[in-house]
Amino acid sequence: MKKNWYSFIICCLVAMLSACQNEDELSNSNVGYLRLTMGVDMSVNTRADGEEVYDPKQIAVQIVSENDEIVEETSNWEEWSGKQITLPVGKYTVKASSAGFDGATSGFDKPYYAGSAEITIQKDTEVNQTVTCTLANVKVTVNFDQTFVDNFTSANVEVDDNADNAGISPLTFTMGEATQSGYFPVTDLKAVVTAVNKNNVSNTQTDVIENVKARDHYILNYKVDDGKGDGSVSIKFDNALKTYTYTFFIPTKPTTELSVTANAWAKLAYLTGNVVTSKEELTPENMKFQYRVKDAADWTDVVATLNGETYEGKVLGLTPETTYEYRMVYGEEQFVTEVKEFTTEAATVLYNGDFELWSQSGQTIYPDAAEYAGNTSSFWNTSNPGTTQGLGAIGGALNPTTSATSPVQHGQYAAQLKSAFKIIAFAAASLYTGNFAGLSGMSANMEFGKPFTGHPIALHGYYKYSPVVINHVDRMPEGVNIVEGETMDECSIFIALAKKSFTFNNNDESSYIDYEGDDNIIAYGELPSGAATSGDGYTEFTIPLKYKSLTEEPTHIIIVCSASKYGDYMTGGEGSTLYVDNFSLVYDGEPAIWE
């Protein structure tokens, strides 16, 4: 290959004595005459990109004296064509360069040519000097081989100063666009190729070009790896023409491969990522997650925290029942996972949480619509059926209450739970999600849990509690000290998410649910204090759900309210009364972790 250059000839002539001049005047003169003639060498070097010959009108010229003063200058050498320039005798530097550009920055199709020559103007002496302008910056051309185009859906190469000097901007060469030549000041370069394969997985490779000199032309060819090895490169060097041809072999699979998964709840998502393979050292601070609503234009960054060998991140404030796209990214998309999707859960509303639905089946009142009232069909249930099955000794009273008779926090109705002593046994009033499963002698069989999927953060609601002194003690839990006639009764409200429902008998402690130790319980939370509420109105509460696992899916929800906390042990205060109203599930925020 050959190379272009522009040359112009500066001919310095000591003018001949004109016939009209006096010989004595000439002999006493201390000046010479410069006649500038521009000659352009039309021969060109063969190039890879067919660059056009530079327009000679872009050549600017300066004549600089020994003390660095500009004696004469022009931004267009044609202004001096055919003219004589008078210069005092002395030494000068003639500088020529591309006009309007100093070559100190990068740019597409902006070659910078420069050249200089030292001249001496002597009296009565003719000086001929040729100044040749050559490429003074560095040329870069990028080519994408057809094999590369066939295997990648998109690709670009960003070429930049390897030292990241200020003022030198990177130039991006994009696959599919017309070939351009980029020009850089004389500096070592780096080329970062980012390619997305047919599986929408991004691969990035960085290559450094060192010992760069002016007039160097680097042709970067990108091909698909044909078995030469990941990231291999072949180089051709033509010393005579200063042309370097680099051929980079890019694997269709990333040399560094990342994986990412998501665990989506209603309004938040947990993102998890791993480095599957890597042939280079990665900086954890450069890793991040990104997400967006499906088909949206812009990504939102999420901090990725390295925990052991796994990167973790979370996204808050999502919209329920919405599909999102997500990925994990290293650096400026040097390595990117394929784009995946997750769909957020529904923010399921707690059925009849405001306790506005009430109906009666037989002699039992249920907190539900008439078509669902019954031992197994009602979402909310009660121990009330024990008072209507012939014994009258099982179960305290659950009844709807209205603002006309008792306090109501919201709407027209609230639920009133009142513990009682029936004939021979104490019975706490209860309200729970589940089924009343019948009687076993003087004890009740109950099933806690109704079908439910989702991950609420907390249970929110309102309650009012008026306890009395415990006047019936049958049994006590281990570690609990109750003095009959002295200890004040307490209420209980708790929530649990489980992988099953639980059936137990209130007279068989071995069947009681171990909320802490049972692996079928995913999350649990309880009212921190069962003491009496203050004032005449309701007290607002929020019970956080403490999760044992953030990945397991619940199948049932358990919510239990009792006017006497130890009613399962047939212990409590006759007449303790609990009102509850306006229950709802909370989905905003982060869940608490069971410790």
Side-chain angles (χ1 to χ4, degrees):
M1 295 182 14
K2 297 181 179 180
K3 287 200 285 205
N4 267 328
W5 65 70
Y6 298 108
S7 63
F8 60 88
I9 302 172
I10 303 176
C11 300
C12 300
L13 304 174
V14 178
M16 298 294 292
L17 182 61
S18 158
C20 63
Q21 287 179 315
N22 183 280
E23 281 191 9
D24 290 338
E25 289 179 354
L26 182 59
S27 61
N28 292 328
S29 175
N30 199 28
V31 298
Y33 298 95
L34 169 66
R35 188 184 299 276
L36 179 63
T37 303
M38 180 67 70
V40 179
D41 188 341
M42 297 305 295
S43 63
V44 295
N45 296 330
T46 303
R47 303 177 212 198
D49 62 353
E51 177 194 317
E52 296 180 0
V53 176
Y54 215 86
D55 184 353
K57 291 182 179 180
Q58 291 179 289
I59 300 299
V61 179
Q62 290 182 334
I63 301 174
V64 183
S65 67
E66 279 187 291
N67 58 2
D68 291 328
E69 292 182 0
I70 299 174
V71 178
E72 297 286 349
E73 67 177 330
T74 178
S75 61
N76 183 354
W77 68 270
E78 289 186 334
E79 294 178 353
W80 289 355
S81 180
K83 295 182 180 179
Q84 285 186 338
I85 301 173
T86 301
L87 296 172
V89 170
K91 294 182 178 181
Y92 299 89
T93 300
V94 180
K95 298 179 180 180
S97 63
S98 301
F101 180 54
D102 62 4
T105 59
S106 57
F108 281 111
D109 299 324
K110 293 187 73 172
Y112 175 64
Y113 297 96
S116 66
E118 304 292 332
I119 63 170
T120 300
I121 300 295
Q122 294 179 335
K123 184 177 180 179
D124 299 330
T125 301
E126 180 179 292
V127 176
N128 295 315
Q129 179 68 52
T130 299
V131 178
T132 301
C133 287
T134 59
L135 186 67
N137 52 6
V138 180
K139 180 179 178 180
V140 176
T141 305
V142 174
N143 298 317
F144 297 97
D145 187 78
Q146 189 60 44
T147 61
F148 196 92
V149 175
D150 293 340
N151 281 274
F152 292 98
T153 58
S154 64
N156 64 69
V157 177
E158 184 180 87
V159 181
D160 195 6
D161 161 34
N162 190 45
D164 293 326
N165 290 314
I168 302 178
S169 301
L171 300 181
T172 301
F173 301 79
T174 303
M175 185 175 75
E177 295 184 356
T179 301
Q180 288 181 295
S181 291
Y183 293 86
F184 293 84
V186 179
T187 178
D188 288 352
L189 302 172
K190 64 179 176 184
V192 180
V193 58
T194 301
V196 179
N197 64 19
K198 299 293 185 179
N199 294 323
N200 202 35
V201 177
S202 178
N203 184 16
T204 300
Q205 178 175 305
T206 301
D207 299 283
V208 177
I209 302 171
E210 299 177 319
N211 301 317
V212 173
K213 299 179 180 63
R215 299 181 63 187
D216 285 353
H217 179 193
Y218 293 93
I219 302 174
L220 310 183
N221 296 318
Y222 288 89
K223 295 183 178 181
V224 167
D225 183 13
D226 58 1
K228 296 178 181 294
D230 292 346
S232 60
V233 58
S234 67
I235 306 174
K236 293 181 180 179
F237 170 54
D238 187 332
N239 188 52
L241 299 178
K242 295 284 187 181
T243 300
Y244 302 77
T245 302
Y246 284 71
T247 301
F248 300 104
F249 296 93
I250 308 301
T252 55
K253 292 184 178 180
T255 54
T256 292
E257 186 176 358
L258 311 176
S259 67
V260 65
T261 58
N263 174 24
W265 294 11
K267 294 187 177 183
L268 68 90
Y270 292 97
L271 305 180
T272 304
N274 293 95
V275 179
V276 180
T277 59
S278 179
K279 292 193 174 182
E280 57 186 291
E281 184 176 350
L282 303 180
T283 303
E285 291 76 14
N286 292 339
M287 195 73 75
K288 63 186 174 183
F289 298 104
Q290 292 182 325
Y291 78 98
R292 64 186 179 188
V293 175
K294 185 177 180 181
D295 297 328
D298 299 324
W299 292 98
T300 298
D301 291 346
V302 177
V303 174
T305 302
L306 185 60
N307 183 6
E309 295 184 354
T310 300
Y311 288 92
E312 298 174 343
K314 56 180 172 286
V315 185
L316 303 176
L318 299 177
T319 303
E321 298 182 280
T322 302
T323 299
Y324 291 85
E325 296 175 318
Y326 69 102
R327 63 184 185 177
M328 188 162 77
V329 178
Y330 182 77
E332 297 300 321
E333 299 189 20
Q334 287 175 264
F335 308 111
V336 184
T337 63
E338 62 180 316
V339 176
K340 292 186 174 182
E341 295 181 3
F342 65 77
T343 300
T344 49
E345 299 172 338
T348 304
V349 175
L350 184 62
Y351 178 75
N352 197 25
D354 55 4
F355 304 112
E356 293 298 300
L357 298 176
W358 294 90
S359 60
Q360 186 167 346
S361 177
Q363 299 181 47
T364 304
I365 295 175
Y366 290 93
D368 210 329
E371 61 266 34
Y372 301 117
N375 289 350
T376 60
S377 57
S378 180
F379 183 82
W380 291 98
N381 225 304
T382 173
S383 52
N384 276 9
T387 67
T388 61
Q389 296 186 20
L391 293 177
I394 306 299
L398 168 71
N399 290 291
T401 181
T402 68
S403 57
T405 58
S406 301
V408 172
Q409 194 279 327
H410 169 79
Q412 187 176 358
Y413 295 99
Q416 181 197 59
L417 293 77
K418 188 173 184 178
S419 296
F421 184 83
K422 297 295 182 74
I423 304 177
I424 61 173
F426 174 82
S430 63
L431 171 68
Y432 57 88
T433 58
N435 305 317
F436 183 79
L439 299 174
S440 297
M442 293 299 295
S443 60
N445 297 307
M446 288 173 282
E447 181 185 13
F448 279 0
K450 280 292 185 178
F452 178 89
T453 57
H455 293 84
I457 306 301
L459 173 66
H460 179 266
Y462 297 84
Y463 78 109
K464 174 179 171 56
Y465 185 51
S466 300
V468 299
V469 172
I470 293 176
N471 55 2
H472 295 282
V473 177
D474 183 51
R475 293 171 287 127
M476 289 180 287
E478 184 178 353
V480 174
N481 183 27
I482 295 175
V483 178
E484 186 174 355
E486 294 183 9
T487 303
M488 186 66 69
D489 206 356
E490 296 181 52
C491 69
S492 174
I493 302 174
F494 66 85
I495 178 174
L497 299 178
K499 295 188 287 185
K500 55 174 281 190
S501 62
F502 295 82
T503 300
F504 68 97
N505 183 281
N506 70 340
N507 202 31
D508 179 7
E509 294 183 26
S510 66
S511 68
Y512 289 5
I513 304 171
D514 180 3
Y515 290 97
E516 180 176 353
D518 196 319
D519 290 338
N520 288 298
I521 300 295
I522 295 174
Y524 177 81
E526 65 182 9
L527 195 69
S529 172
T533 56
S534 60
D536 296 330
Y538 279 74
T539 297
E540 183 178 9
F541 71 83
T542 298
I543 300 175
L545 269 164
K546 297 180 180 180
Y547 277 82
K548 298 178 183 178
S549 169
L550 299 178
T551 57
E552 292 189 277
E553 299 292 330
T555 60
H556 289 75
I557 186 170
I558 300 170
I559 301 176
V560 178
C561 305
S562 177
S564 295
K565 184 174 183 178
Y566 303 111
D568 288 349
Y569 299 87
M570 295 185 179
T571 295
E574 182 182 357
S576 291
T577 304
L578 172 67
Y579 296 91
V580 293
D581 198 6
N582 202 14
F583 281 14
S584 62
L585 297 175
V586 179
Y587 292 91
D588 291 303
E590 297 182 55
I593 305 300
W594 191 302
E595 297 179 356

